[in-house]
Amino acid sequence: MRRAAARGTALLVGLCGYGFSMAVMVRAGLGLDPWDVFHQGLTRHTGMTIGIASAVVGVAVLLAWIPLRNRPGIGTIANVVVIAVTVDAGLWLLPTPTSLPLRIAMMVSAVVLNAFSTVLYIGAALGPGPRDGLMTGLVMRTGLSVRLVRTSIEATVLAVGWLLGGTVGVGTVLYAFGIGPLVQLFLRVTPRRVLAVSGWASVTEASDLDVKSGARRNKSRRNREFVDVA
């Protein structure tokens, strides 16, 4: 019971933190994260709020899970709903700052909070969000690192969002190339015993997060090649 409550709390805190980080970045006005550049581009053509656009895109991304054989959970549905509500509520509550140092601090804080929130709600193991399910699915199917896969997805979405008219700035660049390493950093400092029972367990095994395991696999592969040659 306690474990279930802890997982539910981690899920909600992570999702609320994620949505709030999106609102903070919008208010900082120094460029949106790639997905929100895309969401904003959609709002320019449809009149939707960023929150509603986020929910619509989330449902669409779920279709990409089919070839990856991902299974949605309660966390997946909560991701679509909670983030959409939180980002719109955050935009309603937060004022628009005029001080450049404050805007820069908000931008950096938003990126860090976003990465931490991602690790938190995926770690709840109640089902990743549509976008992160895409990331974890690709990591497990390709064996590539979280850093590489996450950065590649963000860069692609950024390009499409920019073509749709979304706002791109220094914050966009910081997020696109910083979110992957930050997620990986938070995973590295998370105790292995926690990762072993979280939603990141299979991802950390499939990626290059565990350097020692990777080294052992490489050593084993070299030994097999040596035997084959001999």
Side-chain angles (χ1 to χ4, degrees):
M1 183 65 69
R2 290 182 179 179
R3 182 177 176 183
R7 292 169 64 191
T9 300
L11 173 68
L12 290 178
V13 172
L15 292 178
C16 288
Y18 194 102
F20 188 72
S21 73
M22 291 167 60
V24 172
M25 201 160 189
V26 171
R27 286 290 181 250
L30 294 174
L32 305 177
D33 66 84
W35 280 106
D36 279 337
V37 171
F38 181 53
H39 298 152
Q40 188 182 58
L42 289 178
T43 65
R44 294 185 183 280
H45 295 279
T46 64
M48 295 185 293
T49 66
I50 289 183
I52 293 176
S54 172
V56 171
V57 171
V59 173
V61 171
L62 285 175
L63 296 176
W65 284 30
I66 297 175
L68 296 176
R69 299 177 183 176
N70 283 2
R71 293 184 179 181
I74 187 174
T76 308
I77 307 304
N79 180 285
V80 174
V81 177
V82 175
I83 289 180
V85 172
T86 305
V87 65
D88 280 346
L91 290 172
W92 180 73
L93 290 171
L94 291 171
T96 301
T98 56
S99 169
L100 182 58
L102 178 57
R103 292 167 63 195
I104 293 175
M106 289 175 66
M107 175 189 68
V108 175
S109 299
V111 176
V112 175
L113 176 59
N114 190 285
F116 177 74
S117 298
T118 297
V119 172
L120 194 61
Y121 75 74
I122 290 181
L126 292 173
R131 299 159 187 79
D132 290 300
L134 178 64
M135 175 190 71
T136 56
L138 287 173
V139 168
M140 288 185 286
R141 295 299 173 187
T142 64
L144 299 175
S145 71
V146 171
R147 177 178 56 249
L148 177 60
V149 172
R150 181 65 182 255
T151 301
S152 298
I153 292 174
E154 301 292 343
T156 301
V157 173
L158 170 61
V160 176
W162 177 71
L163 291 174
L164 290 174
T167 303
V168 177
V170 63
T172 308
V173 177
L174 175 65
Y175 188 96
F177 294 99
I179 191 65
L182 278 172
V183 167
Q184 191 151 330
L185 173 63
F186 283 122
L187 288 175
R188 284 186 183 279
V189 300
T190 302
R192 290 290 172 182
R193 59 183 179 79
V194 175
L195 290 178
V197 295
S198 77
W200 287 101
S202 57
V203 178
T204 55
E205 291 175 0
S207 72
D208 67 351
L209 286 170
D210 194 336
V211 178
K212 293 182 180 179
S213 292
R216 288 194 295 267
R217 288 194 298 269
N218 290 336
K219 183 178 180 179
S220 177
R221 186 182 302 111
R222 287 195 298 270
N223 289 338
R224 288 197 303 270
E225 291 175 351
F226 177 78
V227 172
D228 290 340
V229 172

